[in-house]
Amino acid sequence: MMCVAVTLGAAATTPVHAQSFTYNRPATRPKPPPAAQTGQMLVQATEVNYDYNNSRVAAVGNVQMYYNGTSVEADKVIYDQKTKRLHAEGNVRMTDADGKITYANLLDLSDDYRDGFVDSLRVDTADATRMAATRAERTAGNYTVFQNGVYTACAACKEDPKKPPLWQVKGARVIHDQTEKMMYFEDARIEFFGVPLAYIPYFSTPDPTVKRKTGFLMPSPSTNTNYGFGIETPFYWAIAPDYDATISPRYTTKQGLLVQGEFRQRLMDGAYQIRAYGINQQDRNAYANTVGDKDWRGGVESKGQFAINDKWVWGWDAVALSDYNFLQDYRLSMYRDPYASFLNLQTEAVSQLYLTGVGKRSFFDARTIYYLSFSGNQSQVPVIHPVIDYNNVLNQNILGGEFSYKFNMTSLSRDQASFTPISSLANNNGLCSLTSADPLARTPTNCLMNGVPGTYTRVTGEAQWRRSYTDSFGQIFTPFAILRVDAIDASISNQPGVSNFLPTGDTTALRVMPTVGLEYRYPFINVQPWGTTTLEPIAQVIIRPNETYAGKLPNEDAQSMSFDASNLFSVNKFSGYDRVEGGGRANVGVQATTQFDRGGSVKVLFGQSYQLFGLNSFAVADTTNTGVNSGLATSRSDYVASLAYSPNRTYTVSTRARIDEATGNVSRFEAEGRASFDRWSVSLMYGNYAPQAELGYLTRREGLLGTGSIKLASNWVVTGGARWDLEANKINQYTVGAGYVDDCFVLGVNYVTSYNYVSNLSTPPVLSHSFMFQIGLRTIGNTTSASGTGGTY
């Protein structure tokens, strides 16, 4: 092998005799030698021949050339010192400094690789995009014209490389401007598996090296019964490396032009964005049933988050709308999740300012929150002045045990009381609504008061100590002590019906709850050839005084109460701070776990709770009747049980039940099964709930919720889900969709049903239907088309 360093542009002055060597090319391209980075061209070849008469140097056989980070490999390379051009032929492979690889049969370039032409070209870039052409010409070092060019971001088929890729763009001419980093296609056809599906006379797109580029994005069409056909064509403006803007005008046939704009900026310690919408409606009557007679509708939203250091962040979410239904009516959901409504109906938008800190064993969060209700009853929605939480677990032991403490402060205000009917009479006659003809009929017999009018502030501090002992017989004893103090200040407005639930005016209260208790566990282990079973009796005794002010204070954050096996051994079974469990109580149960040697496990828990002495907090009704029908209101609670069985990683079955202690009837039952295989997965959940008249559920609720997905091929997935109300004997919500996803292409088709609120939460929601189509070509762009009836999708 002969190595020669050549200074470009200078004629050779010393004769060199041609020599021949045997050379085996390595499997991978070696790193360019240092000489190739210093303005000299390094040539390695089997033979190097000099033609002094014509001022030509020819490298023949396994030629490798290096110059300024670019390498050329070929069977033969000729350098003409007069014209300063390089001519390479035979298995040509050129790799530039960015990793782009060009394959050709014939390549002709200037000596600095700036200009030239290539025949039978194929280009592979570092980010897995590919170009091919019958001929290409390069000028000015950055302008390449591909004749009969083909472009794709899909890999070639491994089994048949000659098979057309999933998608490709063919153009009579493809122009690549490396200075602008743009690609221009003339007479372009988009093909899928070699079949032309779309013709575009001319279009342009940033080249694959560009992550951010000013220009138009793919348009997105949509249809809706109220605004007609819409076409949205976003324009992206890459203003600077750290901030950009997107203007997205949407023209609708019935309502005119909807203008949208978004500005984003990333700073050293975080990022923020601002988004605004606006439309002057052409047909004001289209949404008259939701917002009345309005010309202009719009909104502004913003979010941001910034890091103070490695433990603390602060940020905000902000929303301001002309009316609460604007985002839904024009499909502008802030959450940008078209599937969220299948299980979680969006009823509000959240504006908040927050500060959060996380330590090794501590957590702090403070935020002020404003909820913008989509129900229209904004006066019944509270404003959270601040809510502050702090938890900490000490690193060192106290009296041999673990010591922790937590703090919560909640302050809120509400203009109007929020009432919910709990009887058919109240519901039919509207006795609990703000427009009730007889507001004095708002009594605990007919209604619940879910929200208290006025101002409410509570400060809670709690300290806890616990320690576990294990004796020589394997018995585990865990004594614990808790001290909790609540300071409460309330100023309740004297609105119609409020005094039937709580005393109006100013109220201050100090609630102290000391607690001591002992938890006992005695696990028995049985080992068999087929597996291991652990049987563990559990008993918990809790001693504390009665709950002071039980049912006489507002309940804002402890309205959710569900007694089951998961909270059987909770010291305080209320979900929030506004209620605290009092009186002596014993929680007793037995837990059994079997672990099979060949995999799989079974876990069973069964237990009951007993009120030993004092006032039973769950038997005392508050403004929301929390706990009254929970199964804990009697001295002997309902039985609770759970069973979870997983024979392997494929199947999981779990059940949860609450059984009436007096009658043996099942008050609450849930069963869920999941199966997940290589190609498909399915889940089915069954729920059966007895009537809870005290909470407004006058009839039994029973239903099925099923979801599933199947992988039809390596990249094809079909998904679906449905919710079946067994009491009404109808499917009231469902979704079905299919999608294809791989490294270069995305395709999605979905049909979704969801519920929209028409005017307020007391009006039954309206079922809407939406169809969505999404297609994305990597490096080219993606677009979404949507059509439907009603609001959000």
mmCIF file of all heavy atoms in Angstrom, residues 220 222 227 230-236 245-252 257-263 274-279 297-299 301 326-327 330-333 336:
data_model
loop_
_atom_site.group_PDB
_atom_site.id
_atom_site.type_symbol
_atom_site.label_atom_id
_atom_site.label_comp_id
_atom_site.label_asym_id
_atom_site.label_seq_id
_atom_site.Cartn_x
_atom_site.Cartn_y
_atom_site.Cartn_z
ATOM 1 N N SER A 220 -54.076 21.009 8.626
ATOM 2 C CA SER A 220 -54.940 20.058 9.319
ATOM 3 C C SER A 220 -56.394 20.425 9.055
ATOM 4 O O SER A 220 -56.858 21.473 9.498
ATOM 5 C CB SER A 220 -54.667 20.075 10.823
ATOM 6 O OG SER A 220 -53.347 19.683 11.103
ATOM 7 N N SER A 222 -60.600 19.842 9.422
ATOM 8 C CA SER A 222 -61.536 19.369 10.433
ATOM 9 C C SER A 222 -62.945 19.753 10.012
ATOM 10 O O SER A 222 -63.137 20.671 9.205
ATOM 11 C CB SER A 222 -61.215 19.956 11.813
ATOM 12 O OG SER A 222 -61.338 21.367 11.807
ATOM 13 N N TYR A 227 -69.257 24.735 13.254
ATOM 14 C CA TYR A 227 -68.403 25.670 12.523
ATOM 15 C C TYR A 227 -68.121 25.208 11.091
ATOM 16 O O TYR A 227 -67.403 25.865 10.346
ATOM 17 C CB TYR A 227 -67.101 25.968 13.265
ATOM 18 C CG TYR A 227 -66.116 24.838 13.436
ATOM 19 C CD1 TYR A 227 -65.412 24.306 12.364
ATOM 20 C CD2 TYR A 227 -65.840 24.333 14.703
ATOM 21 C CE1 TYR A 227 -64.487 23.303 12.526
ATOM 22 C CE2 TYR A 227 -64.913 23.323 14.890
ATOM 23 C CZ TYR A 227 -64.237 22.812 13.794
ATOM 24 O OH TYR A 227 -63.308 21.806 13.971
ATOM 25 N N GLY A 230 -63.246 23.170 8.378
ATOM 26 C CA GLY A 230 -62.152 24.050 8.751
ATOM 27 C C GLY A 230 -60.826 23.533 8.229
ATOM 28 O O GLY A 230 -60.603 22.327 8.134
ATOM 29 N N ILE A 231 -59.948 24.437 7.852
ATOM 30 C CA ILE A 231 -58.602 24.091 7.418
ATOM 31 C C ILE A 231 -57.626 24.976 8.178
ATOM 32 O O ILE A 231 -57.753 26.201 8.175
ATOM 33 C CB ILE A 231 -58.430 24.230 5.890
ATOM 34 C CG1 ILE A 231 -57.043 23.785 5.467
ATOM 35 C CG2 ILE A 231 -58.754 25.637 5.431
ATOM 36 C CD1 ILE A 231 -56.823 22.305 5.573
ATOM 37 N N GLU A 232 -56.686 24.357 8.864
ATOM 38 C CA GLU A 232 -55.721 25.077 9.699
ATOM 39 C C GLU A 232 -54.325 24.860 9.139
ATOM 40 O O GLU A 232 -53.873 23.725 8.979
ATOM 41 C CB GLU A 232 -55.811 24.570 11.138
ATOM 42 C CG GLU A 232 -54.890 25.280 12.117
ATOM 43 C CD GLU A 232 -55.134 24.807 13.544
ATOM 44 O OE1 GLU A 232 -56.319 24.700 13.933
ATOM 45 O OE2 GLU A 232 -54.144 24.553 14.273
ATOM 46 N N THR A 233 -53.632 25.957 8.815
ATOM 47 C CA THR A 233 -52.290 25.891 8.249
ATOM 48 C C THR A 233 -51.331 26.662 9.140
ATOM 49 O O THR A 233 -51.234 27.891 9.056
ATOM 50 C CB THR A 233 -52.268 26.476 6.824
ATOM 51 O OG1 THR A 233 -53.259 25.818 6.031
ATOM 52 C CG2 THR A 233 -50.903 26.283 6.185
ATOM 53 N N PRO A 234 -50.607 25.982 10.022
ATOM 54 C CA PRO A 234 -49.708 26.683 10.944
ATOM 55 C C PRO A 234 -48.466 27.221 10.227
ATOM 56 O O PRO A 234 -47.956 26.610 9.281
ATOM 57 C CB PRO A 234 -49.330 25.595 11.961
ATOM 58 C CG PRO A 234 -50.304 24.481 11.744
ATOM 59 C CD PRO A 234 -50.693 24.553 10.308
ATOM 60 N N PHE A 235 -47.999 28.352 10.699
ATOM 61 C CA PHE A 235 -46.729 28.920 10.254
ATOM 62 C C PHE A 235 -45.791 28.984 11.440
ATOM 63 O O PHE A 235 -46.103 29.621 12.452
ATOM 64 C CB PHE A 235 -46.923 30.321 9.665
ATOM 65 C CG PHE A 235 -45.631 30.957 9.212
ATOM 66 C CD1 PHE A 235 -45.069 30.625 7.993
ATOM 67 C CD2 PHE A 235 -44.970 31.876 10.022
ATOM 68 C CE1 PHE A 235 -43.873 31.200 7.571
ATOM 69 C CE2 PHE A 235 -43.776 32.452 9.608
ATOM 70 C CZ PHE A 235 -43.224 32.121 8.384
ATOM 71 N N TYR A 236 -44.654 28.307 11.329
ATOM 72 C CA TYR A 236 -43.686 28.245 12.428
ATOM 73 C C TYR A 236 -42.565 29.242 12.170
ATOM 74 O O TYR A 236 -41.995 29.283 11.071
ATOM 75 C CB TYR A 236 -43.121 26.833 12.545
ATOM 76 C CG TYR A 236 -42.044 26.697 13.590
ATOM 77 C CD1 TYR A 236 -42.360 26.648 14.932
ATOM 78 C CD2 TYR A 236 -40.707 26.618 13.218
ATOM 79 C CE1 TYR A 236 -41.367 26.534 15.895
ATOM 80 C CE2 TYR A 236 -39.707 26.496 14.163
ATOM 81 C CZ TYR A 236 -40.045 26.466 15.502
ATOM 82 O OH TYR A 236 -39.057 26.347 16.448
ATOM 83 N N ALA A 245 -42.166 30.994 17.625
ATOM 84 C CA ALA A 245 -43.591 31.333 17.612
ATOM 85 C C ALA A 245 -44.276 30.519 16.524
ATOM 86 O O ALA A 245 -43.662 30.153 15.517
ATOM 87 C CB ALA A 245 -43.799 32.822 17.372
ATOM 88 N N THR A 246 -45.548 30.227 16.735
ATOM 89 C CA THR A 246 -46.357 29.518 15.752
ATOM 90 C C THR A 246 -47.686 30.246 15.588
ATOM 91 O O THR A 246 -48.394 30.473 16.572
ATOM 92 C CB THR A 246 -46.621 28.065 16.189
ATOM 93 O OG1 THR A 246 -45.377 27.403 16.421
ATOM 94 C CG2 THR A 246 -47.388 27.317 15.109
ATOM 95 N N ILE A 247 -47.995 30.647 14.376
ATOM 96 C CA ILE A 247 -49.272 31.279 14.049
ATOM 97 C C ILE A 247 -50.112 30.236 13.298
ATOM 98 O O ILE A 247 -49.658 29.694 12.284
ATOM 99 C CB ILE A 247 -49.085 32.528 13.179
ATOM 100 C CG1 ILE A 247 -48.056 33.478 13.825
ATOM 101 C CG2 ILE A 247 -50.413 33.233 12.981
ATOM 102 C CD1 ILE A 247 -48.458 33.974 15.179
ATOM 103 N N SER A 248 -51.309 29.945 13.808
ATOM 104 C CA SER A 248 -52.140 28.871 13.242
ATOM 105 C C SER A 248 -53.523 29.400 12.893
ATOM 106 O O SER A 248 -54.487 29.184 13.641
ATOM 107 C CB SER A 248 -52.243 27.709 14.229
ATOM 108 O OG SER A 248 -50.970 27.246 14.612
ATOM 109 N N PRO A 249 -53.682 30.079 11.780
ATOM 110 C CA PRO A 249 -55.027 30.514 11.383
ATOM 111 C C PRO A 249 -55.851 29.320 10.908
ATOM 112 O O PRO A 249 -55.355 28.455 10.187
ATOM 113 C CB PRO A 249 -54.754 31.501 10.249
ATOM 114 C CG PRO A 249 -53.429 31.075 9.693
ATOM 115 C CD PRO A 249 -52.646 30.514 10.836
ATOM 116 N N ARG A 250 -57.092 29.285 11.327
ATOM 117 C CA ARG A 250 -58.010 28.234 10.878
ATOM 118 C C ARG A 250 -59.227 28.896 10.234
ATOM 119 O O ARG A 250 -59.963 29.628 10.895
ATOM 120 C CB ARG A 250 -58.463 27.362 12.043
ATOM 121 C CG ARG A 250 -59.409 26.229 11.603
ATOM 122 C CD ARG A 250 -60.178 25.645 12.753
ATOM 123 N NE ARG A 250 -59.325 25.087 13.782
ATOM 124 C CZ ARG A 250 -59.785 24.566 14.912
ATOM 125 N NH1 ARG A 250 -61.094 24.553 15.157
ATOM 126 N NH2 ARG A 250 -58.953 24.099 15.811
ATOM 127 N N TYR A 251 -59.423 28.611 8.966
ATOM 128 C CA TYR A 251 -60.590 29.154 8.291
ATOM 129 C C TYR A 251 -61.721 28.141 8.386
ATOM 130 O O TYR A 251 -61.556 26.959 8.068
ATOM 131 C CB TYR A 251 -60.297 29.467 6.825
ATOM 132 C CG TYR A 251 -61.539 29.915 6.078
ATOM 133 C CD1 TYR A 251 -62.052 31.189 6.272
ATOM 134 C CD2 TYR A 251 -62.215 29.042 5.235
ATOM 135 C CE1 TYR A 251 -63.202 31.596 5.626
ATOM 136 C CE2 TYR A 251 -63.373 29.437 4.577
ATOM 137 C CZ TYR A 251 -63.863 30.717 4.784
ATOM 138 O OH TYR A 251 -65.008 31.113 4.159
ATOM 139 N N THR A 252 -62.898 28.604 8.838
ATOM 140 C CA THR A 252 -64.074 27.743 8.933
ATOM 141 C C THR A 252 -65.171 28.302 8.040
ATOM 142 O O THR A 252 -65.336 29.525 7.920
ATOM 143 C CB THR A 252 -64.577 27.654 10.383
ATOM 144 O OG1 THR A 252 -65.022 28.944 10.829
ATOM 145 C CG2 THR A 252 -63.478 27.171 11.308
ATOM 146 N N LEU A 257 -62.771 33.183 10.374
ATOM 147 C CA LEU A 257 -61.363 32.935 10.668
ATOM 148 C C LEU A 257 -61.117 32.869 12.174
ATOM 149 O O LEU A 257 -61.408 33.814 12.900
ATOM 150 C CB LEU A 257 -60.499 34.039 10.055
ATOM 151 C CG LEU A 257 -58.978 33.858 10.191
ATOM 152 C CD1 LEU A 257 -58.519 32.619 9.434
ATOM 153 C CD2 LEU A 257 -58.250 35.109 9.700
ATOM 154 N N LEU A 258 -60.580 31.734 12.616
ATOM 155 C CA LEU A 258 -60.125 31.565 13.997
ATOM 156 C C LEU A 258 -58.613 31.713 14.001
ATOM 157 O O LEU A 258 -57.894 30.943 13.348
ATOM 158 C CB LEU A 258 -60.531 30.189 14.534
ATOM 159 C CG LEU A 258 -59.914 29.769 15.874
ATOM 160 C CD1 LEU A 258 -60.447 30.649 17.000
ATOM 161 C CD2 LEU A 258 -60.194 28.306 16.169
ATOM 162 N N VAL A 259 -58.110 32.718 14.721
ATOM 163 C CA VAL A 259 -56.679 32.998 14.759
ATOM 164 C C VAL A 259 -56.099 32.429 16.048
ATOM 165 O O VAL A 259 -56.652 32.641 17.132
ATOM 166 C CB VAL A 259 -56.396 34.507 14.662
ATOM 167 C CG1 VAL A 259 -54.898 34.773 14.724
ATOM 168 C CG2 VAL A 259 -56.976 35.065 13.361
ATOM 169 N N GLN A 260 -54.989 31.702 15.919
ATOM 170 C CA GLN A 260 -54.297 31.140 17.068
ATOM 171 C C GLN A 260 -52.822 31.503 16.979
ATOM 172 O O GLN A 260 -52.244 31.532 15.889
ATOM 173 C CB GLN A 260 -54.412 29.617 17.104
ATOM 174 C CG GLN A 260 -55.816 29.072 16.963
ATOM 175 C CD GLN A 260 -55.794 27.577 16.751
ATOM 176 O OE1 GLN A 260 -55.346 26.814 17.608
ATOM 177 N NE2 GLN A 260 -56.267 27.138 15.595
ATOM 178 N N GLY A 261 -52.224 31.762 18.114
ATOM 179 C CA GLY A 261 -50.807 32.062 18.149
ATOM 180 C C GLY A 261 -50.172 31.521 19.409
ATOM 181 O O GLY A 261 -50.787 31.524 20.481
ATOM 182 N N GLU A 262 -48.943 31.015 19.276
ATOM 183 C CA GLU A 262 -48.223 30.479 20.432
ATOM 184 C C GLU A 262 -46.786 30.967 20.404
ATOM 185 O O GLU A 262 -46.123 30.946 19.354
ATOM 186 C CB GLU A 262 -48.258 28.948 20.422
ATOM 187 C CG GLU A 262 -47.564 28.325 21.628
ATOM 188 C CD GLU A 262 -47.638 26.808 21.617
ATOM 189 O OE1 GLU A 262 -47.619 26.229 20.516
ATOM 190 O OE2 GLU A 262 -47.710 26.209 22.696
ATOM 191 N N PHE A 263 -46.307 31.418 21.552
ATOM 192 C CA PHE A 263 -44.922 31.858 21.707
ATOM 193 C C PHE A 263 -44.273 31.009 22.792
ATOM 194 O O PHE A 263 -44.845 30.818 23.865
ATOM 195 C CB PHE A 263 -44.857 33.339 22.099
ATOM 196 C CG PHE A 263 -43.454 33.834 22.346
ATOM 197 C CD1 PHE A 263 -42.648 34.238 21.300
ATOM 198 C CD2 PHE A 263 -42.938 33.873 23.629
ATOM 199 C CE1 PHE A 263 -41.361 34.689 21.526
ATOM 200 C CE2 PHE A 263 -41.652 34.320 23.869
ATOM 201 C CZ PHE A 263 -40.859 34.732 22.815
ATOM 202 N N ILE A 274 -46.881 30.959 25.815
ATOM 203 C CA ILE A 274 -48.120 31.733 25.833
ATOM 204 C C ILE A 274 -48.888 31.389 24.571
ATOM 205 O O ILE A 274 -48.327 31.370 23.469
ATOM 206 C CB ILE A 274 -47.839 33.249 25.887
ATOM 207 C CG1 ILE A 274 -46.999 33.602 27.109
ATOM 208 C CG2 ILE A 274 -49.143 34.032 25.889
ATOM 209 C CD1 ILE A 274 -46.518 35.032 27.119
ATOM 210 N N ARG A 275 -50.166 31.115 24.723
ATOM 211 C CA ARG A 275 -51.010 30.754 23.582
ATOM 212 C C ARG A 275 -52.277 31.594 23.627
ATOM 213 O O ARG A 275 -52.875 31.753 24.690
ATOM 214 C CB ARG A 275 -51.347 29.267 23.621
ATOM 215 C CG ARG A 275 -52.026 28.736 22.369
ATOM 216 C CD ARG A 275 -52.263 27.239 22.476
ATOM 217 N NE ARG A 275 -52.865 26.692 21.283
ATOM 218 C CZ ARG A 275 -52.190 26.209 20.252
ATOM 219 N NH1 ARG A 275 -50.863 26.182 20.306
ATOM 220 N NH2 ARG A 275 -52.803 25.729 19.188
ATOM 221 N N ALA A 276 -52.690 32.131 22.490
ATOM 222 C CA ALA A 276 -53.874 32.980 22.424
ATOM 223 C C ALA A 276 -54.756 32.546 21.257
ATOM 224 O O ALA A 276 -54.259 32.052 20.234
ATOM 225 C CB ALA A 276 -53.476 34.445 22.263
ATOM 226 N N TYR A 277 -56.076 32.730 21.426
ATOM 227 C CA TYR A 277 -57.053 32.381 20.406
ATOM 228 C C TYR A 277 -58.043 33.537 20.255
ATOM 229 O O TYR A 277 -58.287 34.278 21.204
ATOM 230 C CB TYR A 277 -57.872 31.136 20.787
ATOM 231 C CG TYR A 277 -57.133 30.026 21.473
ATOM 232 C CD1 TYR A 277 -56.927 30.045 22.851
ATOM 233 C CD2 TYR A 277 -56.674 28.929 20.753
ATOM 234 C CE1 TYR A 277 -56.277 29.018 23.485
ATOM 235 C CE2 TYR A 277 -56.021 27.884 21.384
ATOM 236 C CZ TYR A 277 -55.822 27.932 22.749
ATOM 237 O OH TYR A 277 -55.176 26.909 23.386
ATOM 238 N N GLY A 278 -58.657 33.626 19.092
ATOM 239 C CA GLY A 278 -59.697 34.631 18.916
ATOM 240 C C GLY A 278 -60.467 34.415 17.630
ATOM 241 O O GLY A 278 -59.893 34.015 16.614
ATOM 242 N N ILE A 279 -61.778 34.670 17.673
ATOM 243 C CA ILE A 279 -62.613 34.556 16.477
ATOM 244 C C ILE A 279 -63.783 35.513 16.596
ATOM 245 O O ILE A 279 -64.346 35.717 17.682
ATOM 246 C CB ILE A 279 -63.124 33.112 16.274
ATOM 247 C CG1 ILE A 279 -63.876 32.999 14.946
ATOM 248 C CG2 ILE A 279 -63.991 32.656 17.434
ATOM 249 C CD1 ILE A 279 -64.232 31.568 14.564
ATOM 250 N N ARG A 297 -65.253 35.715 20.477
ATOM 251 C CA ARG A 297 -64.917 34.713 21.483
ATOM 252 C C ARG A 297 -63.421 34.440 21.394
ATOM 253 O O ARG A 297 -62.834 34.478 20.312
ATOM 254 C CB ARG A 297 -65.698 33.412 21.274
ATOM 255 C CG ARG A 297 -67.204 33.579 21.338
ATOM 256 C CD ARG A 297 -67.920 32.277 21.023
ATOM 257 N NE ARG A 297 -67.731 31.300 22.094
ATOM 258 C CZ ARG A 297 -68.150 30.037 22.015
ATOM 259 N NH1 ARG A 297 -68.749 29.603 20.909
ATOM 260 N NH2 ARG A 297 -67.972 29.205 23.031
ATOM 261 N N GLY A 298 -62.819 34.167 22.521
ATOM 262 C CA GLY A 298 -61.381 33.921 22.498
ATOM 263 C C GLY A 298 -60.855 33.534 23.862
ATOM 264 O O GLY A 298 -61.611 33.342 24.819
ATOM 265 N N GLY A 299 -59.548 33.439 23.939
ATOM 266 C CA GLY A 299 -58.930 33.057 25.204
ATOM 267 C C GLY A 299 -57.426 33.158 25.131
ATOM 268 O O GLY A 299 -56.826 33.278 24.056
ATOM 269 N N GLU A 301 -53.936 31.360 27.238
ATOM 270 C CA GLU A 301 -53.418 30.439 28.239
ATOM 271 C C GLU A 301 -51.899 30.491 28.232
ATOM 272 O O GLU A 301 -51.273 30.804 27.221
ATOM 273 C CB GLU A 301 -53.908 29.011 27.995
ATOM 274 C CG GLU A 301 -53.496 28.421 26.671
ATOM 275 C CD GLU A 301 -53.896 26.965 26.552
ATOM 276 O OE1 GLU A 301 -53.444 26.168 27.402
ATOM 277 O OE2 GLU A 301 -54.656 26.620 25.632
ATOM 278 N N PHE A 326 -65.697 27.887 25.165
ATOM 279 C CA PHE A 326 -64.972 28.225 23.944
ATOM 280 C C PHE A 326 -64.007 27.115 23.523
ATOM 281 O O PHE A 326 -63.954 26.727 22.353
ATOM 282 C CB PHE A 326 -64.214 29.543 24.152
ATOM 283 C CG PHE A 326 -63.277 29.873 23.023
ATOM 284 C CD1 PHE A 326 -63.775 30.224 21.779
ATOM 285 C CD2 PHE A 326 -61.904 29.830 23.205
ATOM 286 C CE1 PHE A 326 -62.924 30.526 20.738
ATOM 287 C CE2 PHE A 326 -61.053 30.124 22.171
ATOM 288 C CZ PHE A 326 -61.554 30.473 20.936
ATOM 289 N N LEU A 327 -63.218 26.595 24.459
ATOM 290 C CA LEU A 327 -62.237 25.570 24.118
ATOM 291 C C LEU A 327 -62.905 24.315 23.578
ATOM 292 O O LEU A 327 -62.413 23.687 22.639
ATOM 293 C CB LEU A 327 -61.389 25.220 25.344
ATOM 294 C CG LEU A 327 -60.494 26.334 25.886
ATOM 295 C CD1 LEU A 327 -59.773 25.860 27.137
ATOM 296 C CD2 LEU A 327 -59.492 26.774 24.841
ATOM 297 N N TYR A 330 -64.622 24.841 19.851
ATOM 298 C CA TYR A 330 -63.702 24.924 18.722
ATOM 299 C C TYR A 330 -62.568 23.911 18.812
ATOM 300 O O TYR A 330 -61.535 24.076 18.167
ATOM 301 C CB TYR A 330 -63.151 26.356 18.587
ATOM 302 C CG TYR A 330 -64.178 27.298 18.027
ATOM 303 C CD1 TYR A 330 -64.971 28.072 18.881
ATOM 304 C CD2 TYR A 330 -64.391 27.389 16.659
ATOM 305 C CE1 TYR A 330 -65.937 28.933 18.373
ATOM 306 C CE2 TYR A 330 -65.347 28.248 16.145
ATOM 307 C CZ TYR A 330 -66.119 29.017 17.003
ATOM 308 O OH TYR A 330 -67.066 29.852 16.490
ATOM 309 N N ARG A 331 -62.731 22.873 19.638
ATOM 310 C CA ARG A 331 -61.754 21.780 19.731
ATOM 311 C C ARG A 331 -60.359 22.315 20.046
ATOM 312 O O ARG A 331 -59.379 22.018 19.350
ATOM 313 C CB ARG A 331 -61.727 20.975 18.428
ATOM 314 C CG ARG A 331 -63.083 20.415 18.048
ATOM 315 C CD ARG A 331 -63.006 19.698 16.711
ATOM 316 N NE ARG A 331 -64.312 19.226 16.296
ATOM 317 C CZ ARG A 331 -64.820 18.038 16.602
ATOM 318 N NH1 ARG A 331 -64.111 17.212 17.354
ATOM 319 N NH2 ARG A 331 -66.001 17.675 16.171
ATOM 320 N N LEU A 332 -60.280 23.085 21.098
ATOM 321 C CA LEU A 332 -59.013 23.692 21.504
ATOM 322 C C LEU A 332 -58.668 23.284 22.930
ATOM 323 O O LEU A 332 -58.205 24.087 23.724
ATOM 324 C CB LEU A 332 -59.093 25.225 21.407
ATOM 325 C CG LEU A 332 -59.335 25.787 20.019
ATOM 326 C CD1 LEU A 332 -59.648 27.271 20.093
ATOM 327 C CD2 LEU A 332 -58.118 25.554 19.131
ATOM 328 N N SER A 333 -58.907 22.024 23.267
ATOM 329 C CA SER A 333 -58.664 21.565 24.624
ATOM 330 C C SER A 333 -57.230 21.822 25.019
ATOM 331 O O SER A 333 -56.289 21.472 24.317
ATOM 332 C CB SER A 333 -58.965 20.069 24.737
ATOM 333 O OG SER A 333 -58.544 19.575 25.969
ATOM 334 N N ARG A 336 -54.769 18.861 25.232
ATOM 335 C CA ARG A 336 -54.287 18.291 23.979
ATOM 336 C C ARG A 336 -54.378 16.768 23.970
ATOM 337 O O ARG A 336 -53.535 16.087 23.414
ATOM 338 C CB ARG A 336 -52.818 18.694 23.740
ATOM 339 C CG ARG A 336 -52.555 20.179 23.906
ATOM 340 C CD ARG A 336 -53.111 20.971 22.746
ATOM 341 N NE ARG A 336 -52.687 22.344 22.830
ATOM 342 C CZ ARG A 336 -53.422 23.302 23.349
ATOM 343 N NH1 ARG A 336 -54.600 23.038 23.820
ATOM 344 N NH2 ARG A 336 -52.981 24.528 23.392
#
